[in-house]
Amino acid sequence: MFRTALRNVLAHKARLLMTVLAVMLGVAFVSGTLVFTNTLSNALQNSSAKGFDQVDVAVTAESQPDVGDRIVKTPDLTHALLEQSAKVPGAASATGVVTGFTAIADKDGKLVGGGFQSQGGNYWGKKDARYPLESGHAPSGRNEVLIDWRTAERAGYEVGDTVRISVDGPVLSPTIVGVFTTDDGNVAAGGSLALFDTATAQTLFGKPGTYDEIDVKAAAGTSQTTLKSALDAALPKDRVETTTGRQLADDQAETISASMSGLKQGLLVFAGIALFVGTFIIANTFTMLVAQRTKELALMRAVGASRRQVTRSVLIEAFVVGTVAGVTGLVAGIGIGAGLRSLLGTLGTLGATVPDGPLVVTPGTVATAMAVGVVITMVAAWLPGRRAAKIPPVAAMSSVHAAATTRSLVLRNTLGALFSAAGVAVVLAATTMDGSAGQAPMGLGAVLLIIGVFILTPLLSRPLIAASAPVLRIFGVSGKLARQNSVRNPRRTAATASALMIGLTLITGMTVMAGSLQKSIDKMASAAIKADYVVSMANGNQLSPDVDAKLKTADGVTATSPMRNAPGRINGETEYLTGVNGPAFGELTDLPMANGAFTVGGSQVVVDAGTAKYNGWKAGSAFTVHYEDGKSQRLTVAGVYESNELIRGILLDNSALTPHVEDPSDMQVMVKTSDGVSDGTKDRLEKALGSNPAIKVQSKQDLSDEIAKMFTLLLNMLYGLLAMAVIVAVLGVVNTLAMSVFERSQEIGMLRAIGLDRRSVKRMVRLESLVISLFGGVLGIGLGVFFGWAAGELLGTKMPTYELVVPWGRMAVFLVLAAAVGILAALWPARRASRLNMLTAIKSE
């Protein structure tokens, strides 16, 4: 039986090729994901570990929990603490670390890097071991700065050049006096790093005389643990905490591993989809191979082979196919992993670079690739093998087994209807739940419905394909034959169409959700904001109050309001307060009021409906707030407004909030102008802010476009990942048609003999493929729209402005794509069918 199985594999090499390709693509996706994420994680961890080479023990401020109505401030790390740390037994030296956001402009005035990784810091003394100088010397004063070598290379800067730099307020134009190398992870990820002397960094980052961290280097012969114990004994326990450099490196490695885990799981989900689609192809292939060898298997049964041996022979074939697919998929996956690593390093638009490091292929990756290839293939082939073994030898030799029994069809259709009904019921129930609570039921319902539709697909194929009859009549005999062939074996048609259905379900569902979310965000911005422009930092950090002051004096500005965040204590809990310019804020926004009036000024505030409900407030309610400086104030709720994703919380006048804030800063500033939105107005505002590369001036349309760009990028990435499933589905259509042509060789020979020319044979196969593909496309798009609607209903509980948008144009494109898949997949099978020799085909069995 083993030799027979191997002989069958070798005898059907061409027919099994598509199956090998389908499994190989899925395995390559899995192994490529594992190689890429393991390589990236290893490189980042090694780079991060190097960054802690100069740190034996890090001293940081001990964060203090808020107590009662008092906000407890985190203690400062002073110079006295630094000197005390340096004198601890076993300490060789101590370095004060200062960090903060620092934006670097390129020679065209544009921000270098993505903004989120734009950092600044201090260079310690004349020679800082953390940052080896490639050229130049240490900085001194506000007019001198060092930049990292990657930023210098990207922006084309050299020592002696003047560079525009922004911290959080005014733009500086220091001279580059040196370029340094660094293992900083932010720089490796495409960010930038600028270094000032310590005193300048402390002043610029609002930390005069204090540090963010103190790094202590151990003397020769002193371990990190010993030094940590000495520091713990010498330093005040209620003010600082200590961590060894080894622990910092381990924590960083764990963080990197966790972040890579999310990326890995996301990519593996799409690999799983491709493999799931591939199982249809495998099952189809082995079903047809077994059907073609029915008499052979029956003869084996007649001469003594048991059912178990017949099933085992089919599984041996599947094992060989899976092993070949696993090995080739692993090799291809290693290439994919290396390619993704190189691609990530060369995507200048993303500003992402990868630290140097070897390609990591772990034993786990090899084992996973082989297990996936073999197990998926054998599981998919088990049912056809079991079905073949159950056929009585006499019935098989007489071919009376061909038609499915009425009992089996009733059982299948009943099971499919139950699964589908359960899936629809669970999905509909999930839409009535709260956003987070409904996610798991929604996922379960979606899986049940897809399984149910897949089981029912043979039943659905007849009426849906029959609907194409009027169109197919245009093509005469070829069209009629194509329709009959596509419904001749409903199970095979269903399995082929289902592969395409799954891919289009996911693509359509995501498209519906993305379009609906974009519409709801546009609606939210247009409904809530009446300001012409919103000014914010490029990296999402806080703005200096100087920004609002400059905008107020700019030409054409009629109203401004910063949104200033500060903590407060209310009823023993920390609540973040938002300070605004009360009279102007009402002119700059349009918030619907649940009750009361929008009045912000003095002791009058407005609160969002969620906060009001939690605290039991309504218009006229009063409460006491304790500010961070220890003082308190009695405030009155003038009104309750409906919040959105842009504005929420307690809004009070800045004149009441700012005096209690030690270091005021703004999240954003809203601006109204006399000329409205125009390029000229935007230019004036940017020039009023000193053409600062770190500050964004955006209209409502700019905000919407920025969000749309994010959605488009994400959607295109998902399309690219799902393309693998669509490619596998195409292979499935090709495979099914090719084997169907082989199976119907005698029939095609007879058709040719009675007058059907080669062109008509080609047309028949192409139309059959087109009908099956469109059938899968219609099912996929229908399910995708349903799932998109259901997910939107779930989102609507968290986003009041959510509105369903059905992208009819894109769905038409998807349907055309399904048709194109059918036509392209039929090219080779149709050509093969038309070239069959009539006499040879008629004599074939």
Side-chain angles (χ1 to χ4, degrees):
M1 294 299 291
F2 181 74
R3 287 197 301 270
T4 303
L6 290 180
R7 187 205 68 192
N8 284 324
V9 171
L10 295 174
H12 302 124
K13 293 188 292 291
R15 285 180 244 171
L16 289 169
L17 177 62
M18 293 298 176
T19 301
V20 171
L21 282 174
V23 181
M24 185 200 77
L25 283 173
V27 172
F29 205 159
V30 171
S31 54
T33 295
L34 296 175
V35 169
F36 170 63
T37 53
N38 288 339
T39 298
L40 188 58
S41 178
N42 182 68
L44 290 174
Q45 286 177 17
N46 290 341
S47 174
S48 174
K50 289 179 185 176
F52 294 110
D53 286 348
Q54 301 301 319
V55 183
D56 285 317
V57 178
V59 180
T60 54
E62 176 80 37
S63 57
Q64 305 292 321
D66 296 338
V67 180
D69 292 324
R70 185 167 60 93
I71 295 175
V72 182
K73 183 185 173 187
T74 301
D76 293 326
L77 297 179
T78 61
H79 193 71
L81 272 174
L82 183 139
E83 291 182 336
Q84 188 178 354
S85 301
K87 294 175 183 177
V88 167
S93 63
T95 301
V97 178
V98 184
T99 59
F101 171 70
T102 302
I104 301 177
D106 61 21
K107 292 185 176 180
D108 296 325
K110 303 297 182 184
L111 181 65
V112 176
F116 292 97
Q117 294 86 26
S118 300
Q119 293 294 315
N122 67 313
Y123 189 84
W124 189 255
K126 297 298 180 183
K127 187 176 182 181
D128 194 331
R130 299 173 300 167
Y131 307 112
L133 288 173
E134 273 195 349
S135 59
H137 59 80
S140 177
R142 291 173 65 95
N143 293 322
E144 292 187 353
V145 69
L146 303 178
I147 63 173
D148 67 272
W149 71 273
R150 292 184 189 273
T151 299
E153 190 176 76
R154 277 185 295 170
Y157 283 126
E158 297 178 352
V159 174
D161 289 344
T162 299
V163 60
R164 289 171 57 80
I165 288 180
S166 171
V167 179
D168 65 352
V171 178
L172 307 175
S173 299
T175 300
I176 299 172
V177 296
V179 175
F180 62 91
T181 59
T182 177
D183 292 310
D184 186 283
N186 285 328
V187 175
S192 62
L193 181 60
L195 301 178
F196 304 90
D197 69 79
T198 300
T200 301
Q202 288 175 324
T203 302
L204 289 175
F205 302 138
K207 303 159 186 172
T210 64
Y211 305 96
D212 293 299
E213 183 176 303
I214 297 172
D215 293 340
V216 186
K217 188 72 177 171
T222 303
S223 69
Q224 291 186 355
T225 307
T226 302
L227 179 58
K228 180 182 185 302
S229 298
L231 286 165
D232 286 339
L235 301 179
K237 292 182 175 60
D238 60 336
R239 292 186 58 194
V240 301
E241 58 183 346
T242 58
T243 312
T244 64
R246 189 177 298 109
Q247 184 61 50
L248 288 172
D250 291 344
D251 291 345
Q252 186 71 14
E254 189 175 330
T255 301
I256 291 170
S257 180
S259 64
M260 287 295 104
S261 175
L263 174 64
K264 184 188 297 185
Q265 289 174 7
L267 291 173
L268 286 176
V269 165
F270 290 96
I273 292 168
L275 285 167
F276 183 58
V277 172
T279 57
F280 295 123
I281 300 173
I282 301 165
N284 243 6
T285 301
F286 278 93
T287 298
M288 288 187 279
L289 285 175
V290 168
Q292 290 166 11
R293 300 205 323 265
T294 299
K295 290 186 179 181
E296 174 190 324
L297 294 173
L299 183 60
M300 291 171 62
R301 288 286 312 283
V303 297
S306 66
R307 286 185 176 183
R308 184 174 296 176
Q309 285 179 310
V310 170
T311 303
R312 194 180 299 153
S313 70
V314 175
L315 291 179
I316 290 171
E317 290 181 53
F319 176 81
V320 173
V321 171
T323 302
V324 173
V327 172
T328 54
L330 175 62
V331 173
I334 293 171
I336 289 172
L340 286 173
R341 184 185 185 282
S342 300
L343 181 65
L344 188 64
T346 55
L347 281 178
T349 53
L350 297 179
T353 56
V354 183
D356 294 331
L359 198 67
V360 178
V361 183
T362 65
T365 299
V366 176
T368 301
M370 296 306 300
V372 166
V374 173
V375 171
I376 291 291
T377 308
M378 291 184 70
V379 167
W382 174 77
L383 189 59
R386 183 172 175 274
R387 191 183 297 135
K390 289 174 69 176
I391 300 171
V394 175
M397 289 180 182
S398 306
S399 297
V400 298
H401 66 286
T405 64
T406 303
R407 180 183 173 188
S408 69
L409 290 174
V410 170
L411 179 64
R412 178 178 182 130
N413 294 338
T414 303
L415 196 62
L418 290 173
F419 267 96
S420 298
V424 171
V426 173
V427 168
L428 292 177
T431 60
T432 64
M433 299 179 184
D434 183 67
S436 53
Q439 289 177 3
M442 180 76 71
L444 174 63
V447 171
L448 290 174
L449 181 54
I450 287 176
I451 292 173
V453 171
F454 168 64
I455 296 173
L456 284 176
T457 306
L459 179 66
L460 297 172
S461 64
R462 290 188 177 276
L464 288 178
I465 291 175
S468 65
V471 178
L472 292 176
R473 285 197 195 100
I474 299 172
F475 300 95
V477 174
S478 297
K480 183 177 181 180
L481 290 171
R483 184 178 64 80
Q484 291 175 345
N485 288 334
S486 58
V487 295
R488 176 184 297 180
N489 192 329
R491 293 190 181 195
R492 185 191 303 165
T493 297
T496 307
S498 294
L500 192 59
M501 176 193 78
I502 291 170
L504 283 177
T505 295
L506 294 169
I507 290 173
T508 305
M510 288 188 304
T511 304
V512 170
M513 282 190 63
S516 300
L517 280 170
Q518 179 61 46
K519 177 74 173 178
S520 65
I521 290 169
D522 288 348
K523 189 176 177 181
M524 184 189 301
S526 61
I529 299 176
K530 291 196 292 185
D532 294 322
Y533 292 97
V534 175
V535 179
S536 60
M537 290 290 278
N539 69 332
N541 276 5
Q542 302 288 305
L543 286 165
S544 165
D546 293 342
V547 171
D548 181 51
K550 289 182 178 180
L551 288 169
K552 281 180 179 177
T553 59
D555 290 341
V557 173
T558 58
T560 69
S561 176
M563 294 184 69
R564 186 165 297 165
N565 250 9
R569 298 284 286 177
I570 301 172
N571 298 328
E573 295 183 10
T574 299
E575 187 80 48
Y576 274 85
L577 313 169
T578 301
V580 299
N581 286 351
F585 199 72
E587 183 184 343
L588 295 166
T589 59
D590 186 15
L591 298 173
M593 301 301 295
N595 63 73
F598 191 94
T599 304
V600 178
S603 63
Q604 290 191 306
V605 302
V606 292
V607 300
D608 69 274
T611 303
K613 183 179 179 181
Y614 177 79
N615 290 284
W617 297 336
K618 58 183 179 180
S621 298
F623 62 93
T624 301
V625 61
H626 298 269
Y627 297 108
E628 61 180 325
D629 64 353
K631 296 181 180 179
S632 61
Q633 184 180 7
R634 192 74 173 165
L635 300 176
T636 302
V637 177
V640 177
Y641 67 91
E642 298 292 343
S643 66
N644 54 58
E645 295 299 315
L646 303 175
I647 303 170
R648 63 177 63 243
I650 301 172
L651 305 180
L652 70 161
D653 196 88
N654 272 320
S655 62
L657 177 67
T658 304
H660 305 288
V661 180
E662 182 180 347
D663 185 20
S665 57
D666 303 324
M667 295 180 291
Q668 60 188 29
V669 179
M670 294 186 180
V671 183
K672 189 79 172 174
T673 63
S674 55
D675 297 334
V677 177
S678 69
D679 291 339
T681 303
K682 187 174 181 178
D683 287 341
R684 285 202 305 273
L685 294 177
E686 288 177 343
K687 286 177 181 177
L689 296 172
S691 300
N692 194 321
I695 297 178
K696 297 189 296 186
V697 178
Q698 296 176 295
S699 65
K700 285 190 287 187
Q701 187 60 48
D702 292 334
L703 287 170
S704 179
D705 290 344
E706 185 176 61
I707 295 168
K709 190 183 297 182
M710 291 168 57
F711 275 121
T712 303
L713 177 63
L714 179 62
L715 202 58
N716 288 339
M717 288 173 61
L718 294 175
Y719 283 166
L721 292 168
L722 283 171
M724 183 70 76
V726 175
I727 290 171
V728 174
V730 172
L731 291 176
V733 179
V734 174
N735 199 27
T736 300
L737 288 173
M739 298 192 76
S740 179
V741 166
F742 178 83
E743 196 177 64
R744 302 200 316 260
S745 295
Q746 190 178 54
E747 174 189 319
I748 293 171
M750 288 293 295
L751 290 171
R752 289 289 316 284
I754 61 175
L756 198 67
D757 59 17
R758 287 186 173 182
R759 181 179 295 179
S760 298
V761 170
K762 281 184 180 181
R763 187 182 299 127
M764 176 186 71
V765 176
R766 287 172 185 164
L767 289 173
E768 180 183 347
S769 175
L770 180 63
V771 167
I772 292 173
S773 297
L774 285 175
F775 170 53
V778 169
L779 284 181
I781 291 171
L783 282 174
V785 171
F786 175 71
F787 289 140
W789 166 81
E793 290 295 302
L794 205 59
L795 281 171
T797 61
K798 296 289 186 183
M799 190 177 288
T801 56
Y802 186 85
E803 179 183 335
L804 179 67
V805 174
V806 181
W808 298 107
R810 287 208 177 190
M811 287 197 299
V813 171
F814 295 156
L815 205 57
V816 171
L817 175 65
V821 164
I823 292 170
L824 291 174
L827 290 178
W828 177 61
R831 185 170 180 270
R832 185 183 176 197
S834 67
R835 289 174 174 267
L836 285 175
N837 182 282
M838 281 185 282
L839 295 178
T840 304
I842 290 171
K843 289 189 294 181
S844 66
E845 293 186 8

